């Protein structure tokens, strides 16, 4: 059995929650990181939903790829399913990513299900900022989630122009 690669693009980047052998920046083609999922609990309410990250179709996304030992793969997948598939707004996929060192690997990742009721769709940074600015859930203000995400992404040497534009409008 081969080692498992996991692609993180949001909080998995800085808080994976599982043991790994290696991590390095990686690019996923065909999807981009976006605040495209309505949060009704952690960063918003049903009356005033917030926004959290999903991988949506189009473009590309630079995130972090984690190599997990084959012996830990089953437990890591179980953990990720519990963490990411609570409301089934994501589809579990194995997609090709290009690692920083140039190697291509297939990585487990979670892509937004556009048919799910929590899918917020594409929006401009200005539209996203309006929603984020007014939302607050059990885990705190949506603004804190978004600004923290950008800080962690930047700290790791990654760039996200769209997210930077959202934060600039908060």
């Amino acid at each position: 059995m081969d080692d498992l690669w996991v692609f993180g693009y949001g909080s998995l980047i800085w808080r994976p929650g599982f043991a790994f052998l290696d991590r390095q920046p990686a690019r996923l083609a065909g999807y981009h990181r976006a605040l495209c999922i309505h949060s009704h609990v952690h960063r918003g309410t049903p009356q005033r939903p917030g926004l959290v990250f999903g991988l949506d179709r189009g473009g590309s996304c630079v995130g972090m790829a984690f190599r997990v030992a084959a012996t830990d793969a089953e437990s890591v997948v179980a953990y990720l399913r519990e963490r990411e598939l609570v409301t089934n707004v994501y589809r579990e996929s194995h997609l090709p990513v290009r690692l920083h060192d140039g190697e291509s690997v297939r990585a487990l990742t979670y892509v937004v299900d556009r048919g799910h009721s929590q899918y917020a769709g594409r929006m401009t940074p200005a539209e996203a900022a309006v929603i984020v600015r007014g939302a607050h859930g059990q885990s705190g203000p949506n603004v804190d989630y978004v600004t923290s995400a950008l800080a962690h992404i930047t700290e790791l040497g990654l760039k996200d122009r769209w997210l930077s534009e959202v934060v600039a409008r908060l």
Side-chain angles (χ1 to χ4, degrees), residues 92-167:
E92 187 176 271
S93 303
H94 290 269
L95 299 171
V97 298
R98 181 166 303 280
L99 304 176
H100 183 68
D101 68 10
E103 181 184 2
S104 288
V105 299
R106 291 191 73 74
L108 175 64
T109 192
Y110 293 89
V111 176
V112 68
D113 176 356
R114 285 179 156 215
H116 195 281
S117 63
Q118 285 178 260
Y119 178 64
R122 289 184 184 228
M123 58 187 77
T124 67
E127 291 167 331
V130 167
I131 294 169
V132 168
R133 203 176 307 120
H136 189 285
Q138 289 178 3
S139 296
N142 203 185
V143 169
D144 291 354
Y145 169 80
V146 173
T147 56
S148 177
L150 180 61
H152 283 96
I153 289 167
T154 303
E155 182 180 293
L156 292 169
L158 305 176
K159 294 181 180 168
D160 187 316
R161 184 175 37 212
W162 186 89
L163 183 58
S164 294
E165 290 179 33
V166 172
V167 170

Side-chain angles (χ1 to χ4, degrees), residues 17-155:
F18 54 84
F20 54 89
L21 300 171
D22 182 26
R23 78 173 183 181
Q24 59 179 292
R27 179 178 300 275
L28 172 64
Y31 296 90
H32 65 282
R33 175 180 26 251
L35 291 168
C36 64
I37 296 172
H38 288 295
S39 174
H40 299 153
V41 176
H42 290 286
R43 297 299 173 169
T45 64
Q47 298 77 26
R48 185 102 189 223
L51 291 172
V52 294
F53 292 108
L55 282 175
D56 204 355
R57 291 190 308 232
S60 69
C61 177
V62 176
M64 194 64 67
F66 299 89
R67 185 168 58 93
V68 175
T71 54
D72 295 333
E74 189 176 321
S75 64
V76 168
V77 170
Y79 163 76
L80 289 170
R81 285 176 177 162
E82 185 176 318
R83 175 176 169 166
E84 302 297 328
L85 299 179
V86 175
T87 64
N88 293 315
V89 69
Y90 298 108
R91 287 182 293 107
E92 187 176 271
S93 303
H94 290 269
L95 299 171
V97 298
R98 181 166 303 280
L99 304 176
H100 183 68
D101 68 10
E103 181 184 2
S104 288
V105 299
R106 291 191 73 74
L108 175 64
T109 192
Y110 293 89
V111 176
V112 68
D113 176 356
R114 285 179 156 215
H116 195 281
S117 63
Q118 285 178 260
Y119 178 64
R122 289 184 184 228
M123 58 187 77
T124 67
E127 291 167 331
V130 167
I131 294 169
V132 168
R133 203 176 307 120
H136 189 285
Q138 289 178 3
S139 296
N142 203 185
V143 169
D144 291 354
Y145 169 80
V146 173
T147 56
S148 177
L150 180 61
H152 283 96
I153 289 167
T154 303
E155 182 180 293

